[in-house]
Amino acid sequence: MTDTSVTTLEARARTRTVFLLAHTGRPAAIRSAELVVQGLLRAGIGVRVLAFEAADLPLPRSVETVPEATPEVLDGCELLIVLGGDGTLLRGAEFARASGVPMLGVNLGRVGFLAEAERDDLDRVVDRVVTREYEVEERMTIDVAVRRNGDIVHRDWALNEAAVQKVSPERMLEVVLEVDGRPVSGFGCDGIVCATPTGSTAYAFSAGGPVVWPEVEALLMVPISAHALFAKPLVTSPSSVLAVEVQPDTPHGVLWCDGRRAVELPAAARVEVRRGEVPVRLARLHHASFTDRLVAKFALPVSGWRGAPHGDT
């Protein structure tokens, strides 16, 4: 390779930019951010961070800072690296969805199903980013609309779930569930979780819902502490429209989207959930099956497994 070719490759590398989002309240995130930044800069890849996060990170001057947390701050970035727990990863998902930039999550929390790597994998993360050895997959989202007297009064979205919950601890939320314009059942409960397959291992899982593999396209509706004989989790077509109607004589409730954004639901409010028009793009470093990820994240007991008999597929 000639000197000219080397110079050209270096120039191209310097045009690459990665956005870094970190939970700077965690000492582990600060150290991890420092290691990631150093590795990317050594490879000639630019790094961009939010100014208020940069103030808490020991970063060199060559790191670009931007003042506002808007989707436009990712313009020109090829990847969004997020360091933190589930809350930080969901915050990163908001940036990823709005900008279309793939998100690569590094788990610094407890479970971190959205994360692609753990804290001990930082060197490998940097190497894969530098060599572009990662793939991008799209995760289904949901669009949420709140209606009152037929009019839409609020719109939102979620990667994991939209949860309709009671506010008053002493009284249940009286609701009627609907799928594709037809009523299913009505009862009192603590709430209803409408989730994506990605969200099946989050709030829906805690409420007793099924684990759904990410490649399965479906919508979930999971009651929380329902007082009813029939209040089972429902799994519907991805093209279905789910609705939760809050009864007029019940106390007001609240809608939480991904546990991050909340809006009050007055009595007689109607929450409609359907497949989202805009997915979230996730960067993947390896081809580990979701089954292996499930076993690892929940430390499931698999000792004694001998595998399929020889000759079986």
Side-chain angles (χ1 to χ4, degrees):
M1 184 178 291
T2 65
D3 292 341
T4 303
S5 298
V6 172
T7 302
T8 302
L9 289 174
E10 290 176 346
R12 288 178 179 174
R14 282 195 292 270
T15 64
R16 300 175 61 193
T17 303
V18 169
F19 199 97
L20 182 67
L21 194 67
H23 185 340
T24 56
R26 293 172 178 254
I30 294 176
R31 178 56 182 160
S32 297
E34 185 179 11
L35 294 174
V36 170
V37 169
Q38 289 173 352
L40 293 174
L41 291 179
R42 279 197 300 268
I45 298 176
V47 179
R48 187 182 301 168
V49 299
L50 295 172
F52 72 88
E53 290 188 355
D56 297 326
L57 299 172
L59 301 176
R61 292 184 177 180
S62 56
V63 172
E64 180 186 358
T65 61
V66 288
E68 297 183 33
T70 62
E72 289 73 23
V73 301
L74 274 78
D75 287 352
C77 294
E78 68 175 71
L79 199 64
L80 167 64
I81 298 180
V82 181
L83 308 174
D86 289 334
T88 307
L89 292 169
L90 286 170
R91 177 176 165 233
E94 294 176 357
F95 282 90
R97 175 182 176 272
S99 65
V101 174
M103 179 180 79
L104 196 164
V106 178
N107 180 40
L108 303 181
R110 189 170 58 88
V111 180
F113 261 98
L114 285 175
E116 180 63 10
E118 302 295 323
R119 186 185 315 169
D120 296 337
D121 298 330
L122 287 176
D123 289 341
R124 184 168 65 96
V125 169
V126 172
D127 289 342
R128 293 292 186 89
V129 172
V130 170
T131 57
R132 287 194 174 98
E133 292 183 71
Y134 60 86
E135 297 179 355
V136 177
E137 68 176 39
E138 293 187 346
R139 288 293 182 91
M140 174 180 165
T141 61
I142 51 177
D143 288 337
V144 186
V146 179
R147 292 182 181 272
R148 181 79 187 281
N149 298 325
D151 297 325
I152 295 179
V153 295
H154 180 75
R155 291 187 183 273
D156 216 313
W157 74 281
L159 173 60
N160 278 348
E161 78 280 314
V164 177
Q165 296 177 270
K166 70 177 186 179
V167 174
S168 303
E170 70 278 4
R171 291 190 61 184
M172 292 183 295
L173 194 67
E174 298 289 340
V175 299
V176 175
L177 307 187
E178 175 191 299
V179 177
D180 294 331
R182 302 303 302 162
V184 175
S185 186
F187 43 72
C189 60
D190 285 354
I192 302 292
V193 178
C194 298
T196 65
T198 298
S200 72
T201 51
Y203 196 175
F205 176 83
S206 300
V211 174
V212 180
W213 267 235
E215 60 267 26
V216 176
E217 295 191 337
L219 294 174
L220 286 72
M221 183 177 274
V222 183
I224 307 171
S225 302
H227 288 242
L229 291 176
F230 182 82
K232 299 296 185 182
L234 305 178
V235 180
T236 74
S237 161
S239 61
S240 290
V241 178
L242 313 181
V244 179
E245 292 188 342
V246 179
Q247 295 294 71
D249 56 349
T250 192
H252 70 277
V254 62
L255 168 69
W256 281 95
C257 289
D258 282 341
R260 290 183 49 80
R261 303 175 303 278
V263 61
E264 184 175 318
L265 297 175
R270 174 184 170 90
V271 178
E272 296 175 346
V273 175
R274 66 191 70 214
R275 181 178 189 152
E277 293 186 1
V278 182
V280 169
R281 305 175 72 212
L282 299 181
R284 292 301 188 200
L285 302 180
H286 46 70
H287 297 284
S289 71
F290 180 75
T291 305
D292 292 338
R293 185 185 295 264
L294 188 71
V295 169
K297 293 293 185 181
F298 288 132
L300 300 178
V302 293
S303 59
W305 178 73
R306 296 186 301 276
H310 292 296
D312 288 1
T313 56

